[in-house]
Amino acid sequence: LLAANGGLGNSDLSNLPQSAVKGGWLQYPRVKTGVDRRIPLWPETQQALTEAIATRPRAKDPEDDGLCFLTRQGRKWVRFGANGTSVIDLISDAFSTALKKLEMKREGLGFYALRHTFETISSGCGDQVATSSIMGHTDNSMSAMYRETIDDERLLKAVNHVRGWLFPAESAE
């Protein structure tokens, strides 16, 4: 849900600190870029996140104790080598297994496709600045240099546009 709700990638999820959850929002820098993100959470995302944290296994490494998600063994879902690239990505593995089970596995379709989908659908709300902000994209334009903040309403419009696309029956009610 976090990948669909806010374009979070594998490393974003694996390193998501519980301290980033602030009511109905996530607020923390993207792992890859360091760009601050402020993401409104859908009600179903909030509920699933609360349940996942409550039932999360104990961290094997005390350094990981404040993370939202850990494997059954109490480890990070994505682990990195000395050069900063992932050496173990259990999110991709689990997603691939689920796709195979559902007979949906095909070339180029993996967990990260959810991030691509968020970008594609969210940009349809007509506010690319809000979409890029949620995605944690770097923006070296002059406008970005002057932009101090993005109104919550704009961020909500972007994530709710995706929610309406993903759950059309619910958004019609």
Side-chain angles (χ1 to χ4, degrees):
L1 280 169
L2 285 167
N5 184 156
L8 276 74
N10 310 39
S11 298
D12 298 323
L13 290 174
S14 182
N15 293 290
L16 182 63
Q18 293 178 34
S19 62
V21 182
K22 300 181 188 306
W25 294 76
L26 280 187
Q27 188 168 349
Y28 77 112
R30 181 164 181 236
V31 173
K32 184 177 178 180
T33 62
V35 172
D36 278 332
R37 301 167 89 174
R38 187 162 153 71
I39 305 169
L41 299 173
W42 303 332
E44 47 276 278
T45 306
Q46 290 177 54
Q47 181 179 348
L49 185 54
T50 299
E51 291 172 13
I53 292 169
T55 61
R56 185 195 73 125
R58 188 174 161 163
K60 187 159 190 140
D61 182 341
E63 193 174 293
D64 299 336
D65 193 45
L67 298 177
C68 289
F69 307 107
L70 295 171
T71 66
R72 285 188 202 129
Q73 294 76 31
R75 296 190 167 283
K76 281 185 172 184
W77 281 85
V78 178
R79 287 175 249 153
F80 298 91
N83 64 356
T85 59
S86 65
V87 292
I88 296 174
D89 185 344
L90 300 173
I91 292 174
S92 286
D93 294 348
F95 196 75
S96 182
T97 298
L99 288 174
K100 286 176 188 168
K101 221 179 234 187
L102 295 168
E103 298 180 2
M104 295 174 63
K105 183 67 179 154
R106 61 180 164 78
E107 186 67 31
L109 183 61
F111 185 80
Y112 214 70
L114 295 171
R115 185 167 162 75
H116 291 235
T117 301
F118 178 85
E119 168 72 33
T120 302
I121 303 304
S122 177
S123 65
C125 80
D127 193 338
Q128 189 59 46
V129 171
T131 295
S132 294
S133 175
I134 290 167
M135 295 284 291
H137 287 155
T138 56
D139 181 354
N140 297 323
S141 70
M142 189 55 72
S143 295
M145 299 289 206
Y146 288 107
R147 187 178 308 110
E148 298 293 330
T149 188
I150 298 173
D151 292 339
D152 288 354
E153 292 77 26
R154 293 174 67 185
L155 301 173
L156 284 161
K157 180 181 175 186
V159 300
N160 287 336
H161 184 77
V162 176
R163 186 171 186 261
W165 172 82
L166 187 60
F167 305 116
E170 291 179 24
S171 59
E173 294 173 1

